[in-house]
Amino acid sequence: MDNDGTHGAWGTRGAQPPDGGPARPGKSVPHPAGPPPAAPPSYPPTVPPPARPPSVPASPVRYQAPDAPVPTADWFNAPRPEAGPGVWRYRYVPRPAEREERPSLVGPAATLILWLLLWLLLNQRAVPYVYKPIEIITGPEWWSFGGLREGAPALVVNSTTLYYEVLVLVLGFWAARIGGWAHVVRYFAGPRLDRARLGLSAAVALLVLWLAWTPKVPLLLVLMGSADGWLRSGDQLKATVAAYSCYALTIAIVVWPIARFARWGDALREFRARRTPARPPSAQAPSTAPERPGTAPAQEAGPLRAHWPELRAAGRTDAAEALTAAVYTGRMNDVDCVRLSHAWNAARTSHDRLASFTETVLRKGPDAFLHPSGLRDVPLRTATHDPLTGQVRIGDCADDPRNPYPRRGSGMALEPASLGTSLLAVGPPGSGKTDRVIRPVVEALALRALTGQAAVLAVGGAGGALGPDDAYDVVVRIGDPASLYDFDLYGGTTDPDEAAAALAEGLAGDIPTLDTRRATTALGQLLGPFHAVHGRFPSVPELRELLEGSATALGALREALETGGHQAMLRELEARARQSGSAADPGAVLADRIAALDRPAFAGFFATGEDARPFSLRSLGRHPLRVRVDLPERVHAEASRILARLVLAQFNAVTAARTDRSLFVCLVLDDATHTVTAETVRGIRRLRSVNAGAVLALRTLDDVPEGLHTALLGAFGCTMAFPGLTTWDGKRFAEAWGKEWVEVREVAQHGVFADQPLTRAMHALRKMATGKAVTTDAVTVRQVERERWSASGLAYELPPGHAVLSLTTVAGEHMPPLLVRLSG
């Protein structure tokens, strides 16, 4: 198939390397043949593309969506609501609000009994002086000795009865307020509070109306008494109008306050909204795929992603039909969907690119815009990934009182938005840093690289802890003769000063007594003249001879400079010769450090001749590469540390110098022991502004100079503490995570001293019976500021398989440190 140069360029022997340099015979990146293997049974699943014709028809036929769910389509259409930092967004459902503690029923029951007792006493007219207000209203001539006379008019009798019933109602509201009846109803109703309120209010309204139309609560009789004149006049029309008006007024007086209090209007509007017919499926999704049973409500709210609504809105219906058919027939996996979505977002900015996008999709279908390696998935997934959001799930938020209630039980994930602020993981060996955090992050970045949105550089020891070789485009095995790539000590630059700065950081950045600026100057005084004469930088043996001050090497270089007329470089070399051997000369230290790389095991590496083409980190800024560098940690520990520092220094320099920052570039360093320096900390702090990040793992903070502890934790927006930390490390994390205001409840017991003889005797008897003195509790509740996690809590209270994670996004969102149960 014609690939238009989209893949296969790195997989042939003698082809152009990924960094854009000349071809190197015998150096190629092997790629597996055939379709990629299927992903492990973790959701979201990955569907490997089956064999199919090499091209898609230009005018795809409209198809009918299958009744059975398609894994890729379900994954693509799944809801991903916006959530806070670190929340696994795939099908995320916020946790219901925390239910309050069950209220005591003693208070409500006591107030209910008191209210019923008062109701009984008021009905029996057994409470004195309560009738005075109604006596003043109706006139004292109808009253005698606190009661109504037998000849009192019906209006006075009914008004008195109504007065007592209103008084009972007022006392009922008072009892409900004092006893907390509403709180009890809200607790037991729970999420069905609206229905319970509507039902109870309707029942109360019917009960009150029934009572109002009977002598029990003579509201209707009182209103009828006021219209008695019309009823006796004999005018039937006026009497009918008056009667029905009294009925309507009674209903309004009873129902309106209850409806207002119970919010019947809101319930009626909600009922009408439910009865309103929904829009037809054709308005939400294209006619090519009718709605399937079991569709989630979140999916019904808008167009399905699997139907590519953005393409349809832009008038690219033919391309949308082709991609929709590929999704629903299982010929696209999750990486294909994200890759083509990214290609569409890049093409929509130009009309010419839109036409090219449509033509490519119609011709190639799911194979359009493939990664240059030609792969559509990683060989093996050890974690749960969501390529659409770039998230990788590392575990769940533990159900612990120290975690906020809304976050307990939710999935925890890492994504480019948080990795852009860099991640520091600290924990002893065996705590799970590599298996449960580092490798899942590398896999997520590799998947994102296959979609054309990221480049990843993984650095670790040999042994495959960071994934198989097939998961990478470039694998550099330093010290292994079978390695297909070497490593460029100078970072692919042609500027001697830039090369000297990175090399000095790698060789002597961990020496506190040596100023790296002097080391940079010393190296620049040698690299500049050598490059001016030979057009390349020196190899490791040649650089060692120059640093050691070899008369033969310096003499030959001086003679070549004089012959070529390089006067400026000749002055640089003479300055280096004058400084050589002085007390402050860093040349001897640099020569000792470069000697660690001038070993027989590295004889075939770090070459700089015409035939050599080592891999350069400068390629990461231009291509979505997946690169792994294996360091010889077991045999050559000192050389591995030098190379790790050099890689970190070159990474900072490359990411800061690139002009196209559309790719997210991330460095993952599995073991950063003796790697971090003051200059690299400053470089890591600048990564978030250039769309780059770094993930560093440490066994302990003591592997970093003590003066850099505070700066290191401040430079990383995401920090992670694993079980087994020392209290010294825990103290640093506790200081970095800060404090929060908490409510503290203190209970103090005080002895009770009686003054009366009888009370004193009762206390003595109680002490003899219980053996304890009579005391009373004094409760004090106050707000205090305490550390989110204490040093001892981090050192001794973290269970195995857990970690405390704090996140910050590039946009500035913060997540407080949470206890996370890591995935196995």
Side-chain angles (χ1 to χ4, degrees):
M1 182 193 301
D2 181 18
N3 54 34
D4 286 348
T6 56
H7 68 277
W10 304 345
T12 57
R13 187 169 298 275
Q16 189 80 3
D19 55 0
R24 181 178 183 182
K27 297 291 183 179
S28 61
V29 181
H31 293 139
S42 61
Y43 209 80
T46 300
V47 181
R52 56 180 180 79
S55 62
V56 178
S59 299
V61 180
R62 292 183 178 269
Y63 70 99
Q64 193 76 6
D67 294 334
V70 180
T72 303
D74 286 350
W75 167 84
F76 203 24
N77 295 329
R80 294 168 177 84
E82 293 294 333
V87 176
W88 174 252
R89 292 172 51 193
Y90 179 79
R91 296 188 184 276
Y92 169 68
V93 178
R95 188 177 188 183
E98 184 177 7
R99 196 168 187 182
E100 300 178 2
E101 185 179 357
R102 180 173 180 176
S104 175
L105 300 179
V106 176
T111 54
L112 177 61
I113 294 174
L114 178 61
W115 178 54
L116 294 176
L117 179 61
L118 290 174
W119 191 349
L120 179 62
L121 293 176
L122 289 174
N123 282 339
Q124 298 297 327
R125 308 297 193 264
V127 182
Y129 304 108
V130 176
Y131 64 90
K132 285 297 182 181
I134 193 64
E135 179 182 351
I136 296 173
I137 295 174
T138 58
E141 63 271 13
W142 309 112
W143 297 81
S144 64
F145 301 105
L148 281 174
R149 295 178 181 180
E150 293 184 1
L155 181 59
V156 175
V157 175
N158 293 334
S159 299
T160 303
T161 304
L162 182 61
Y163 165 75
Y164 275 97
E165 296 300 335
V166 171
L167 187 60
V168 169
L169 184 62
V170 172
L171 290 175
F173 278 109
W174 174 80
R177 186 176 183 85
I178 297 299
W181 297 0
H183 178 63
V184 173
V185 172
R186 282 195 299 268
Y187 176 81
F188 286 102
R192 298 180 296 274
L193 178 60
D194 294 338
R195 297 181 181 179
R197 181 171 55 225
L198 183 62
L200 289 176
S201 61
V204 170
L206 291 176
L207 177 62
V208 174
L209 283 176
W210 176 76
L211 292 175
W213 290 340
T214 61
K216 298 294 183 181
V217 183
L219 176 61
L220 182 61
L221 297 178
V222 172
L223 296 176
M224 286 293 188
S226 61
D228 188 53
W230 287 339
L231 295 175
R232 293 180 180 180
S233 63
D235 190 343
Q236 188 66 27
L237 179 60
K238 291 183 178 181
T240 303
V241 172
Y244 281 103
S245 298
C246 291
Y247 278 106
L249 185 59
T250 303
I251 295 174
I253 293 175
V254 173
V255 175
W256 184 82
I258 296 177
R260 183 70 179 272
F261 176 77
R263 303 174 185 172
W264 287 10
D266 297 342
L268 182 60
R269 283 190 292 270
E270 183 180 357
F271 177 75
R272 288 179 177 176
R274 293 180 179 177
R275 291 293 301 272
T276 302
R279 292 186 301 173
S282 59
Q284 301 177 7
S287 58
T288 56
E291 183 179 354
R292 301 190 308 273
T295 305
Q299 301 175 16
E300 297 176 357
L304 302 179
R305 294 190 187 94
H307 297 282
W308 305 89
E310 295 182 355
L311 273 70
R312 299 178 188 274
R316 309 292 169 173
T317 308
D318 48 356
E321 293 289 346
L323 295 180
T324 305
V327 170
Y328 279 99
T329 55
R331 292 185 288 119
M332 289 180 66
N333 60 10
D334 51 359
V335 178
D336 295 332
C337 295
V338 179
R339 185 188 70 249
L340 290 171
S341 298
H342 174 67
W344 164 253
N345 292 331
R348 64 193 306 177
T349 58
S350 172
H351 184 271
D352 296 337
R353 298 177 67 180
L354 281 176
S356 176
F357 174 85
T358 304
E359 188 273 334
T360 305
V361 168
L362 293 177
R363 184 161 49 88
K364 295 186 177 181
D367 287 337
F369 305 101
L370 275 178
H371 185 263
S373 64
L375 300 180
R376 302 168 64 179
D377 197 2
V378 294
L380 177 65
R381 298 191 188 187
T382 60
T384 305
H385 300 271
D386 185 14
L388 187 61
T389 58
Q391 289 185 321
V392 53
R393 184 164 184 164
I394 61 173
D396 301 316
C397 189
D399 190 4
D400 189 89
R402 287 169 290 196
N403 290 337
Y405 177 83
R407 297 299 300 268
R408 298 176 193 172
S410 63
M412 297 298 300
L414 295 174
E415 56 187 341
S418 55
L419 295 178
T421 62
S422 300
L423 170 65
L424 177 66
V426 181
S431 58
K433 299 189 303 298
T434 300
D435 295 336
R436 300 182 180 183
V437 176
I438 300 299
R439 180 164 179 176
V441 168
V442 172
E443 286 181 5
L445 293 172
L447 288 172
R448 202 157 182 82
L450 291 178
T451 64
Q453 303 179 70
V456 57
L457 172 63
V459 182
L466 299 181
D469 295 350
D470 295 342
Y472 297 92
D473 303 312
V474 175
V475 178
V476 181
R477 299 186 185 89
I478 298 178
D480 186 356
S483 176
L484 298 178
Y485 281 92
D486 299 341
F487 182 74
D488 190 353
L489 290 179
Y490 304 101
T493 182
T494 57
D495 185 359
D497 294 331
E498 183 180 350
L503 189 59
E505 194 66 32
L507 293 177
D510 62 328
I511 303 177
T513 58
L514 179 61
D515 189 357
T516 55
R517 291 174 297 181
R518 298 182 63 87
T520 301
T521 302
L523 287 171
Q525 291 172 344
L526 295 176
L527 297 181
F530 193 94
H531 189 275
V533 172
H534 300 282
R536 61 176 178 87
F537 291 119
S539 62
V540 171
E542 293 171 337
L543 181 59
R544 181 181 180 182
E545 291 182 355
L546 294 174
L547 289 173
E548 289 177 346
S550 171
T552 303
L554 292 176
L557 183 57
R558 183 181 295 106
E559 182 178 353
L561 289 173
E562 293 175 350
T563 303
H566 302 286
Q567 297 300 323
M569 293 301 173
L570 184 60
R571 289 195 299 270
E572 288 285 297
L573 185 62
E574 294 297 337
R576 173 90 285 274
R578 290 192 299 270
Q579 296 173 4
S580 179
S582 63
D585 179 32
V589 178
L590 295 174
D592 291 340
R593 286 299 179 89
I594 201 67
L597 302 180
D598 189 18
R599 306 296 302 162
F602 307 133
F605 285 83
F606 317 127
T608 58
E610 295 181 357
D611 296 336
R613 183 56 193 176
F615 175 76
S616 170
L617 298 190
R618 202 165 293 271
S619 307
L620 294 172
R622 299 191 294 264
H623 308 288
L625 287 175
R626 301 167 297 162
V627 183
R628 193 188 74 202
V629 178
D630 292 343
L631 302 177
E633 294 179 346
R634 186 178 60 86
V635 181
H636 303 279
E638 183 64 24
S640 298
R641 295 171 184 173
I642 292 175
L643 293 172
R645 285 194 300 271
L646 184 58
V647 168
L648 184 54
Q650 289 185 3
F651 179 81
N652 289 336
V654 167
T655 53
R658 63 179 182 149
T659 55
D660 184 8
R661 298 173 180 175
S662 58
L663 279 178
F664 175 72
V665 185
C666 189
L667 166 68
V668 181
L669 193 55
D670 187 36
D671 185 7
T673 303
H674 301 294
T675 302
V676 179
T677 64
E679 186 61 33
T680 55
V681 168
R682 285 189 287 269
I684 291 173
R685 197 187 300 273
R686 294 190 295 264
L687 290 179
R688 68 178 65 186
S689 62
V690 295
N691 196 21
V695 180
L696 271 61
L698 287 171
R699 297 185 178 94
T700 174
L701 289 178
D702 291 336
D703 291 336
V704 178
E706 185 176 359
L708 294 177
H709 288 179
T710 302
L712 178 67
L713 292 175
F716 284 84
C718 307
T719 50
M720 200 169 188
F722 287 80
L725 287 180
T726 63
T727 53
W728 293 274
D729 289 345
K731 180 181 178 181
R732 292 294 187 184
F733 277 102
E735 293 175 352
W737 288 336
K739 300 179 179 181
E740 63 179 347
W741 289 97
V742 296
E743 186 178 273
V744 177
R745 181 184 178 94
E746 297 179 353
V747 180
Q749 293 184 341
H750 301 285
V752 178
F753 300 95
D755 296 332
Q756 302 298 326
L758 181 59
T759 308
R760 191 179 297 113
M762 293 296 295
H763 287 183
L765 181 61
R766 179 177 175 181
K767 184 176 181 180
M768 291 177 57
T770 60
K772 297 180 181 179
V774 180
T775 59
T776 181
D777 292 341
V779 181
T780 303
V781 180
R782 56 194 180 95
Q783 295 283 337
V784 298
E785 194 176 17
R786 287 188 176 176
E787 294 176 334
R788 301 180 185 272
W789 278 85
S790 64
S792 59
L794 291 172
Y796 302 112
E797 297 179 11
L798 291 186
H802 290 65
V804 179
L805 173 63
S806 173
L807 292 180
T808 303
T809 64
V810 179
E813 297 180 276
H814 294 272
M815 184 194 75
L818 302 178
L819 180 62
V820 180
R821 183 178 64 253
L822 300 175
S823 302

